[in-house]
Amino acid sequence: MKSFVIILCLVHFVKTACFGGHGMTTFSIRTKSRCEFVDITAAVAAAVRESSVADGLCVVFVPHTTAGVTINENADPDVRADILDHLARAVPDSARYAHAEGNSPAHVKASMMGSSATIIVSSGHLVLGTWQGVYLCEFDGPRTRNVHVEVR
Amino acid sequence: MKSFVIILCLVHFVKTACFGGHGMTTFSIRTKSRCEFVDITAAVAAAVRESSVADGLCVVFVPHTTAGVTINENADPDVRADILDHLARAVPDSARYAHAEGNSPAHVKASMMGSSATIIVSSGHLVLGTWQGVYLCEFDGPRTRNVHVEVR
Amino acid sequence: MKSFVIILCLVHFVKTACFGGHGMTTFSIRTKSRCEFVDITAAVAAAVRESSVADGLCVVFVPHTTAGVTINENADPDVRADILDHLARAVPDSARYAHAEGNSPAHVKASMMGSSATIIVSSGHLVLGTWQGVYLCEFDGPRTRNVHVEVR
């Protein structure tokens, strides 16, 4: 009986060591403009801490079709402005679109940036470069957006 | 001897709980046009069910260089048409390309959309937004395309 | 005592079977041009071999904001040239940018290609299509770039 308890403890230890015993985390963001990049690095890092995962992968997923996620410079905000300006020129509102809702450029930009970002976790921390931040890409705001984070 | 059997069962349980005891799943798609988005959400969801993974990550990977994968609106098909039209304008067939096969625009579009999509799995289900579907992006069809799915 | 040793061995076996007992691998690349695609497929495959992971996921992550990673044709180098030429036309150096460092096009291209690539690992090998290679995308070189690889 005693050895059975020891075995169960070890099994639990392995499972926890593997997965931190956690599931997906979700947080919400209230965006303020039609198009903007919102820095979500701190919220993603908090989800990694809460997961107790030491080494693994962190997936940030945006469950929307007119918003996306990207990783880019965290220092000069002009960089985010330049990326948004480029996307506005590349996918102009004035082009001809079939979709009746009028937000087709937002859908195009969402697929260009992508719905998810994957970041390596090492020693319990996000492995990001010095100048990298994680950004929710709003293309059809202002809205309340959800962001899912899975760490394992 | 009896406790050894119990240990083996528990080890098997942990391994299965971690990974569902499954490897990669592959399915094929016969595309019908040169450029089209094919909804593969149901096939990906089936691979998740077969994996028996409750909580984890699902990676959809397209092993081709003139096709990709993206996540976008599953309701109005005009959205997919608008994304394809945008890509046709942004990467015109009429531009000058060095690659002799004549399908350089397809290669460019494939890198723009990406070779893989990562989706969180929670309680045995793909965590997709209400309006999200998973699409194989064909840029040089019609062809038979393979799609790999790994769930863990 | 003997059974306790057996249990510890099995726990170690399961942990190793799950994660290969390895952490992230990092290698460096010295790029030679301002914009170029560097084939890193062999280095990524080596990281997979060293991880001892049989079945799982390989994430390639570039910790820079003016470089990215993409998967595309490994045969005719003209394809990479065509993708770079397209990006140069789509994100021209001559457009107006706010960021004072003058490398905004590199930031835009990095977000277009993405910071990471995810590849399925099966039977200890990267599951890539016949014509697929993994490329570091340099957009603001020449520089020394780091590439992180996590396999699990």
Side-chain angles (χ1 to χ4, degrees):
Chain A
M1 190 58 202
K2 199 178 133 199
S3 71
F4 189 69
V5 171
I6 294 172
I7 295 166
L8 278 185
C9 289
L10 286 166
V11 166
H12 180 75
F13 165 76
V14 174
K15 252 194 106 174
T16 310
C18 290
F19 297 115
H22 278 262
M24 178 180 81
T25 302
T26 301
F27 59 87
S28 291
I29 298 280
R30 178 78 206 159
T31 61
K32 291 171 188 153
S33 312
R34 193 158 84 90
C35 294
E36 70 173 310
F37 279 17
V38 182
D39 190 339
I40 57 172
T41 314
V44 174
V48 170
R49 273 195 305 278
E50 280 156 30
S51 76
S52 306
V53 170
D55 298 292
L57 299 174
C58 170
V59 170
V60 182
F61 187 90
V62 173
H64 305 285
T65 57
T66 55
V69 60
T70 197
I71 293 173
N72 217 298
E73 161 143 350
N74 58 15
D76 181 1
D78 280 348
V79 171
R80 276 102 79 190
D82 283 340
I83 300 173
L84 284 169
D85 283 353
H86 165 77
L87 290 172
R89 282 191 300 262
V91 194
D93 290 340
S94 59
R96 196 169 45 176
Y97 301 102
H99 183 49
E101 283 185 46
N103 60 356
S104 276
H107 287 285
V108 174
K109 293 170 186 176
S111 274
M112 286 176 74
M113 293 295 104
S115 301
S116 73
T118 302
I119 306 151
I120 297 169
V121 175
S122 182
S123 303
H125 292 92
L126 287 174
V127 180
L128 287 170
T130 312
W131 308 108
Q132 285 183 316
V134 186
Y135 293 90
L136 170 81
C137 309
E138 173 63 84
F139 296 123
D140 194 30
R143 296 201 196 197
T144 298
R145 300 296 198 173
N146 292 318
V147 178
H148 300 314
V149 182
E150 173 75 43
V151 192
R152 58 181 45 233
Chain B
M1 189 58 200
K2 199 177 133 199
S3 71
F4 189 68
V5 172
I6 294 171
I7 295 167
L8 278 185
C9 289
L10 285 167
V11 166
H12 180 75
F13 165 77
V14 174
K15 251 195 106 174
T16 310
C18 289
F19 298 115
H22 278 263
M24 180 180 78
T25 303
T26 301
F27 59 86
S28 290
I29 297 279
R30 178 79 205 159
T31 61
K32 290 172 188 153
S33 313
R34 193 157 87 89
C35 294
E36 70 174 309
F37 279 17
V38 182
D39 190 340
I40 56 172
T41 315
V44 174
V48 170
R49 274 196 305 276
E50 280 156 30
S51 75
S52 306
V53 171
D55 297 293
L57 299 174
C58 170
V59 170
V60 181
F61 187 90
V62 173
H64 305 285
T65 56
T66 54
V69 59
T70 197
I71 293 173
N72 217 298
E73 160 142 351
N74 58 14
D76 181 1
D78 280 347
V79 171
R80 275 104 78 192
D82 282 341
I83 300 173
L84 285 169
D85 283 354
H86 165 76
L87 291 172
R89 282 191 298 262
V91 194
D93 290 339
S94 58
R96 196 170 45 177
Y97 301 102
H99 182 49
E101 283 185 46
N103 60 357
S104 275
H107 287 285
V108 175
K109 293 170 185 176
S111 273
M112 286 175 74
M113 293 295 104
S115 300
S116 73
T118 301
I119 307 151
I120 297 169
V121 175
S122 180
S123 304
H125 293 91
L126 287 173
V127 180
L128 287 170
T130 313
W131 307 108
Q132 285 183 315
V134 187
Y135 292 90
L136 171 81
C137 310
E138 173 63 84
F139 295 123
D140 195 28
R143 295 202 197 197
T144 299
R145 299 296 197 173
N146 292 318
V147 179
H148 300 314
V149 183
E150 173 74 44
V151 192
R152 55 182 47 234
Chain C
M1 189 58 199
K2 198 177 132 199
S3 71
F4 188 70
V5 171
I6 293 171
I7 295 166
L8 277 185
C9 289
L10 286 165
V11 166
H12 180 75
F13 165 76
V14 174
K15 253 194 105 176
T16 309
C18 289
F19 297 114
H22 277 262
M24 180 180 79
T25 302
T26 302
F27 59 88
S28 290
I29 298 279
R30 178 77 205 159
T31 62
K32 291 170 189 154
S33 312
R34 193 158 85 89
C35 294
E36 70 173 310
F37 279 17
V38 182
D39 191 339
I40 56 173
T41 314
V44 175
V48 170
R49 274 195 305 276
E50 280 156 30
S51 75
S52 305
V53 171
D55 297 292
L57 298 174
C58 170
V59 170
V60 181
F61 188 89
V62 173
H64 305 285
T65 57
T66 55
V69 59
T70 197
I71 294 174
N72 217 299
E73 161 142 350
N74 58 14
D76 182 1
D78 280 348
V79 170
R80 275 104 77 191
D82 283 341
I83 300 172
L84 285 169
D85 283 354
H86 165 77
L87 291 171
R89 282 191 299 263
V91 194
D93 290 340
S94 59
R96 196 169 46 177
Y97 301 102
H99 183 48
E101 284 184 46
N103 60 356
S104 275
H107 287 285
V108 174
K109 293 170 185 176
S111 273
M112 287 176 74
M113 293 295 103
S115 301
S116 72
T118 302
I119 306 152
I120 297 169
V121 175
S122 181
S123 303
H125 292 92
L126 286 173
V127 180
L128 287 169
T130 312
W131 308 108
Q132 285 183 316
V134 186
Y135 293 90
L136 171 80
C137 308
E138 173 63 84
F139 296 123
D140 194 29
R143 295 200 197 198
T144 298
R145 299 296 197 172
N146 292 318
V147 179
H148 300 314
V149 182
E150 173 74 45
V151 192
R152 53 183 47 232

